[in-house]
Amino acid sequence: SHIAIGAWSSGGSLITGRKYLAGCGTQTASLAFGGAITAVSALTEEYNGTGFVNGGNLNTARRYISGCGTQTAGLAVGGGVPPSATLSDLTEEYDGSSWTESGDLNTARKALAAAGIQTSAVAFGGRVGGTTLSAATEEYGGTSFTEGNNLNTARDALASSGTSTAALAFGGYNEAAEDHSSATEEYGGTSWTAGNAMSSARKYLAGAGTQTAALAFGGMPATAATEEYDGSSWTTGGVLNTARGYLAGSGIQTAALAFGGANNKNNTEQYSG
């Protein structure tokens, strides 16, 4: 019997197109924040299922930023601040209208990933300068970060999904080896275990969903490929209408959102799984 795969369709565009941004929330209540236009951006936009409206700016403009949570309880972690080589350890919490600074990461880094909610999150991977990668995992309890067990494979430009006790890390890049990654790892709340690799290795991709129902889409080299994870293996999903990397995502496997990306794209796509 034929099994239907999901499809992407057009959604309302970002007000300000940008890349290296982060996202969180659901398909009908998403948050897009940070990134770069030509300069590094502090802009925050809120999506209601049809279009974006401007929200409160980040206190510190950052690109290569990561985040998790919901539209009314978002978390922004790490990133890069001007000048380009400067790493950020900053954490900010969004309450639906404005951002407030919270406890810093122990390890400043950019192009990292995060999963969970504002009061219980996990941040992992990233780059700590030059071609030096981080495997560090940090757990956030709502006020501060504590060190957890490292990823098995250090990498930056990776994507994530899930919760603080059931997170998924996938894709990424090894800067020193100039090697794109297809590696998948599952976090159980204390340590990482290897999962089955993605079909296509890529960096600066986006993710959505849970540990057992994840979605991976876009990435560099510029691709429109989408893959769905069922907790053990990846299968091919519907392709993005616009191939791109450096994008952000939100939502769940059957109802995800993709926005922003390389060349300061402002187009948004909605996934129906």
Side-chain angles (χ1 to χ4, degrees):
S1 63
H2 175 72
I3 299 172
I5 59 172
W8 290 97
S9 58
S10 294
S13 296
L14 280 165
I15 297 165
T16 303
R18 51 200 197 268
K19 58 187 175 182
Y20 314 134
L21 74 166
C24 66
T26 67
Q27 190 183 64
T28 55
S30 279
L31 205 60
F33 47 96
I37 308 153
T38 46
V40 178
S41 176
L43 291 175
T44 299
E45 298 185 31
E46 301 171 0
Y47 192 71
N48 63 7
T50 55
F52 282 96
V53 296
N54 284 313
N57 283 3
L58 287 161
N59 292 292
T60 302
R62 291 174 264 168
R63 61 183 174 181
Y64 302 110
I65 188 173
S66 187
C68 60
T70 65
Q71 187 185 74
T72 55
L75 194 68
V77 294
V81 295
S84 59
T86 306
L87 302 168
S88 177
D89 59 5
L90 293 174
T91 300
E92 298 187 36
E93 297 183 347
Y94 194 69
D95 63 4
S97 60
S98 61
W99 293 94
T100 307
E101 287 199 20
S102 187
D104 293 345
L105 285 163
N106 293 295
T107 302
R109 43 193 150 148
K110 60 185 178 182
L112 71 164
I117 58 175
Q118 190 184 70
T119 54
S120 180
V122 60
F124 43 92
R127 198 179 345 159
V128 290
T131 60
T132 307
L133 302 176
S134 176
T137 299
E138 300 187 35
E139 297 173 351
Y140 184 73
T143 54
S144 61
F145 282 94
T146 55
E147 297 280 354
N149 289 307
N150 285 1
L151 284 163
N152 294 299
T153 303
R155 48 194 146 141
D156 69 349
L158 71 167
S160 58
S161 65
T163 67
S164 62
T165 56
L168 198 68
F170 44 96
Y173 194 60
N174 181 327
E175 299 286 339
E178 297 186 353
D179 185 32
H180 295 82
S181 177
S182 61
T184 301
E185 297 186 40
E186 300 173 354
Y187 190 67
T190 52
S191 59
W192 293 94
T193 55
N196 285 311
M198 296 172 65
S199 300
S200 65
R202 41 186 142 157
K203 64 180 178 180
Y204 292 111
L205 69 164
T210 66
Q211 187 184 71
T212 56
L215 198 67
F217 44 97
M220 298 297 288
T223 180
T226 300
E227 297 186 39
E228 299 182 358
Y229 190 69
D230 63 4
S232 63
S233 59
W234 295 93
T235 55
T236 301
V239 295
L240 286 161
N241 294 297
T242 302
R244 54 188 140 153
Y246 310 112
L247 74 167
S250 61
I252 59 175
Q253 187 185 69
T254 53
L257 202 67
F259 43 91
N263 306 318
N264 302 330
K265 287 183 170 56
N266 67 352
N267 62 329
T268 298
E269 299 186 37
Q270 300 180 153
Y271 192 70
S272 177

